Amino acid sequence: MNADAQQEAVYGAPPEMLAVRDDLTPMLSQYADLCEEHDDAVVLFQVGDFYEAFCGAAEAVARTCEVTLTQREDSTGTWPMAGIPIDNAAGYLERLLDAGYRVALAEQVEDAEEASGLVDRAVTQLITPGTVVDEELLDAGRATYLGAVARGGGESENGSDADAEGDTYGLAVVDVSTGECLVTGADRALALEELERLAPAELVVGPDCDLPDLPFDPMETPFEPEAFDADAARETLSAYAPRPDAVVESDAELRAVGAALTYAEYAQGDSQLAYVTRITRFDPREFLQLDATAIRSLELFESRSARAGSTLFSVLDETACALGRRRLEAWLRRPLVDRERIEARLDAVAALCDDALARADLRDHLSSVYDLERLVARVSRERADARDLRSLKTTLDRVPEIREALAGTDSDLLSDLRDSLDELEDVRDLVGDAVVSDPPQEITEGGVIADGFDAELDDVRGTAEAGREWVSNLEAREQERTGIDSLEVGYNQVHGYYIEVTNPNLDRVPDDYQRRQTLKNSERFYTPELKEREDEILRASDRADALEYDLFCEVRADVATESARVQAVADALADLDVLRTLADVAVANDYARPEFHAGDTDESAGIRIDAGRHPVVERAQDEFVPNPADLPRGSVALVTGPNMSGKSTYMRQVALVTLLAQVGSFVPAKSARLPVLDRVFTRIGASDDIAGGQSTFMREMSELTEILHNATGDSLVLLDEVGRGTSTADGLAIARAATEFLHDEVGATTLFATHYHDLTDAADDREGVFNLHFTAARRDGEVTFLHSVADGPSSSSYGVEVAQLAGVPASVVERARNLVDEPETDAESAADSAGDGVVAAAANGEVDETAEDGTLAAYVDGLENGHRESENPNQATATAAAAEPNPELEAVAEELREADLVDTTPLEALNLLSDLKGRLE
């Protein structure tokens, strides 16, 4: 049974119950009613201390949560039943969510002791992947978004009528746990990219929205189409923003944000989310655009390996609090394109790098900060307990100290953040005066409100305390009055206060003692005066508990009115934590401040990185070889070299340096001079989508298509092995055509790693195309990868050697090596003869410097052009392809070129060749 069929079997009122609806017990009838009202979720129905489900839903709960399937019997039949304990529900709810179920919690909304007949129940919360608010179900360091997508017609950007691809799409996301709300609008392609970047956990899709298969896996939730109606959406948004037109810029955006808020309200019990005070519209083009492919290829948040700490996020994550961790993720997903804002962040990071004491103080203070965003959201939803309010106060108590730590820093951004840190003295004082320093978790059982906060409460407490003091002295008085030394005064929940006398002393019990309980070895009594005092104490205690609860709710409501101020402080603390983190990482890892071109448009305004490093790979290796990058604007660098030599690492590190710089971070390099990019595209790695009907090659071509259509002259493009999934002829043709198109038509700065050595000829045809390669050394049949980039094309991919390193059987490796060498036998013999002829001619003083074949001049030219591989003297000069440039080799060539061979004696020629041969070896 597929997931949809499973849900149909457990959602809605059980058919077997509906068949006997009129005969159901009141409780099961109530359950069936709630299931009908919430037919899009598994209804968990509170019965005492458990959430129960019945029939098909019970079977699903028992199977998913691994709890016992029991049954309930009544006059109408036997009903399968399964339950989870309320006090320990979080783990079971998480399992249900992971299994793809939505859950509706139907709780008792009146006190069972006060109910006359059936206890009233209602669904108080819908729990779904995008609307979960329980701390135990949330990742403290990541935002959990509910998304909504709406489609609206109109004109495309160039003013033409919008077709299906040109329609405007609105996208809104809400984090119900914090109150963050983002909305944007764009054409279909750009809206889908932004949807992939935000990756909501749950998605509500409007009418006529034809979404493709997404590269992430949100729960797609059907919701009433009326929520996407423009008038309904405007009415909903008006409750959060008095001027909706100031928040959204299109009909599609209005309908998306209206539907998202309506669904969020529905999930939280159909009440307005008062803590949603930050509805922010943004244009995707205001940030460096990273589609899901780029985020995945660059391993920003998820690694392809199982190594811990192998993502960019994990390298940078030195945040001290949950606020900072979520903000760091947001900054990495949306780097800036506004140079002024980038420089402001860099100035702040630089100031903190220079002030180790301020960094240490900030980390110390921020590590004591609780998650203000989620705290104030719970306060506004009336779900915060007394401990939450004390956590809020603890955090606000740190604000003056954080302001003090920033007092000496030299940065406009840090100064602005310091000024925005409202100390909220009124809120701090209110909570400090009202709530005890170490309150109990339950807010209905007393002990929450501090003494001195409320006069009436103090009086009631005084009455209860006086009664308890009278009782505490009663034991001594009664022992003296009766002469029974073993007499004890006690209390229990069932019988209240009592006087206990052991059986041997029962004959000494006074006449005013009235029997309350008989035990095996004693009797328990009470007196009219004790009973009166007990009633007085209980009345006062109950009154105190009720007063405390009312007072706490008033305090919580007062704090909720300051949600916007608290959220502003949370924003500032989050930014400070990230800036401090970036400074810590920069100092610890020797990062440099990047420089940006001042709006240059000429080719020199490209990417120039001195001794760049991959921020993740360098942490995983004992030694890392830094490499430069000098990429003129609009150039195409064809990168060749052996497998495993570092081509992909090099390309990624260039992209990560530019991305980090636009986040506002220092970068892993000796220096970096960069443009402000608009997009980073990647076509790296091989994967297929069998379910979607796409082979590896088709996926590769789809990603290439996206790049060729959308890259601009301000983009960075990374291509790795384009065209490898088809025939060599077709693949090389596609790679060559793509190279030419990127250079001639797009003008995007491009790094193109390839094993098509014929592609390197493109550098001869186009001025902006050039070759880079990664070096390797071969000695005694073994290859050493030097991981160093150099100019020019590579001589070999060393595929057979890599196969040997990977553990391919020796017989297969040897056969592969023979097949590679077989076609070159004749050429090797000819080349060896030519080499011997050169030596003989030189020894006899018969060299003709103008000759083209079999001469010393030809040999020198071959050395200069990289056609002799010095690492393997047995390999023929004429067939060794493009050895890596070597300063020593070039020095030998220059010395041979300058040698006066006409006047050189045979003996001098032999000495010269012997010396040069020794240097070459």
Side-chain angles (χ1 to χ4, degrees), residues 294-308:
I295 290 173
R296 188 168 53 248
S297 298
L298 297 177
E299 298 180 297
L300 300 188
F301 306 103
E302 296 181 2
S303 173
R304 299 181 182 185
S305 73
R307 293 193 315 271

Side-chain angles (χ1 to χ4, degrees), residues 107-185:
E107 299 182 296
Q108 296 175 181
V109 292
E110 68 173 331
D111 193 327
E113 294 182 359
E114 298 178 0
S116 57
L118 182 66
V119 177
D120 191 20
R121 295 175 176 87
V123 170
T124 58
Q125 185 181 354
L126 180 66
I127 300 177
T128 68
T131 62
V132 61
V133 293
D134 190 323
E135 286 295 297
E136 295 182 68
L137 300 177
L138 290 166
D139 183 340
R142 301 196 66 175
T144 299
Y145 288 129
L146 162 70
V149 180
R151 178 182 178 184
E155 292 187 344
S156 61
E157 289 187 8
N158 60 14
S160 61
D161 291 338
D163 56 19
E165 290 294 318
D167 285 347
T168 300
Y169 276 70
L171 168 63
V173 294
V174 180
D175 186 337
V176 181
S177 71
T178 66
E180 179 187 19
C181 182
L182 304 173
V183 59
T184 189

Side-chain angles (χ1 to χ4, degrees), residues 70 389 563 670 732 904:
T70 61
L389 290 190
S563 292
K670 186 176 181 180
L732 178 58
T904 298

Side-chain angles (χ1 to χ4, degrees), residues 5-12 31 35 41-43 56-60 63 101:
Q6 286 181 349
Q7 290 177 358
E8 288 177 6
V10 300
Y11 289 176
Y31 173 76
C35 287
V42 176
V43 173
E59 295 173 0
R63 180 176 58 251
Y101 294 109

Side-chain angles (χ1 to χ4, degrees), residues 752-835:
F752 192 159
T754 183
H755 283 294
Y756 288 132
H757 288 278
D758 290 345
L759 184 60
T760 61
D761 293 341
D764 299 332
D765 299 335
R766 283 166 171 77
E767 184 179 352
V769 180
F770 62 96
N771 287 303
L772 297 174
H773 74 281
F774 274 80
T775 57
R778 178 158 48 192
R779 184 180 299 276
D780 298 329
E782 294 187 2
V783 175
T784 301
F785 301 116
L786 305 179
H787 303 296
S788 180
V789 72
D791 293 332
S794 174
S795 62
S796 173
S797 291
Y798 295 95
V800 176
E801 286 77 6
V802 172
Q804 184 176 17
L805 289 174
V808 171
S811 59
V812 176
V813 172
E814 187 61 30
R815 174 59 177 156
R817 185 174 283 115
N818 290 337
L819 289 172
V820 170
D821 294 341
E822 205 170 64
E824 300 180 356
T825 303
D826 295 340
E828 287 176 356
S829 299
D832 286 341
S833 298

